[in-house]
Amino acid sequence: MPGELSGLTQAQEAAVQTALARGEGARSAHLVIDDDRVALEIVAADEPRLGLAPARPRLRFDRVALRLLSEIRTAVRGDVPEGQALLLTVTAPIRLASKTAAALEERVRSWLGTGGSPAEVSVTLFGNAVRVRLVRGRRGSSEVAGFVHNPESDAVAILDAAQAFLETLAKAAGRGQRADVSSVAWLVIAAPQALPIVELYRSLCSQISVSDDFGKVLLALGDRRLELLAG
């Protein structure tokens, strides 16, 4: 049934599908959905890397992984420069999680505090392979997002996909001064090129302040399927 998998009501999904069918490219629409005024920002995912990672990453969401990432985000968010985002990957299984978190916090702070530091570093801490990348984020925000993945997954591809998605979010957020300030903004990313890495995108949205810009973030796939990423 429409709406069941997307997390939207049938009315919401039908309204978004109608807006998508009106034309190609980046555009806006103002709709009334379930009695709410919605400013719909529709962005074509023209970033070549978006959704085109060579393989679907095997991400881990067990308690140890989530706690490690939460500790790192809390510890170093204040050290990330405004307008930038820190992305990191850790290879599972995580060994000595508490010591790894403390050592990673120290390394990241030292790295960020060094003028002219490289945009990406990789290190092994207590047997855990870690890769950290500093990228451009959204204006006015400082964000940290991390991913724990199985050893066969490509950490660089994960970071590439996350960076491309953040760039798309930043472009969309920069576009939208809405004339109707009483409406809520939804973002729809139209990605017809390939099946994107939905799980990775949804995890990324859960770690950053997407709600500051958009009430919902949706992914529209080439087969007209909608995926709710945030909201």
Side-chain angles (χ1 to χ4, degrees), residues 62-72 97-98:
D62 56 84
R63 184 174 61 181
V64 174
L66 294 177
R67 184 169 58 224
L68 174 72
L69 296 177
S70 177
E71 289 176 1
I72 295 300
S98 296

Side-chain angles (χ1 to χ4, degrees), residues 195-215:
L195 178 65
I197 310 166
V198 176
E199 185 180 55
L200 188 150
Y201 296 156
R202 190 173 285 127
S203 174
L204 179 58
C205 285
S206 74
Q207 298 180 68
I208 62 177
S209 51
V210 176
S211 60
D212 290 350
D213 297 310
F214 300 104

Side-chain angles (χ1 to χ4, degrees), residues 80-81 83-87 133-138 141-145 166 208:
V80 177
Q84 295 186 300
L86 187 77
L87 302 174
R133 181 185 296 181
L134 189 65
V135 303
R136 185 175 62 183
R138 292 174 298 154
S141 67
S142 300
E143 296 166 329
V144 181
L166 276 179
I208 62 177

Side-chain angles (χ1 to χ4, degrees), residues 20 22-27:
L20 285 168
R22 287 176 183 162
E24 297 297 329
R27 58 209 180 277

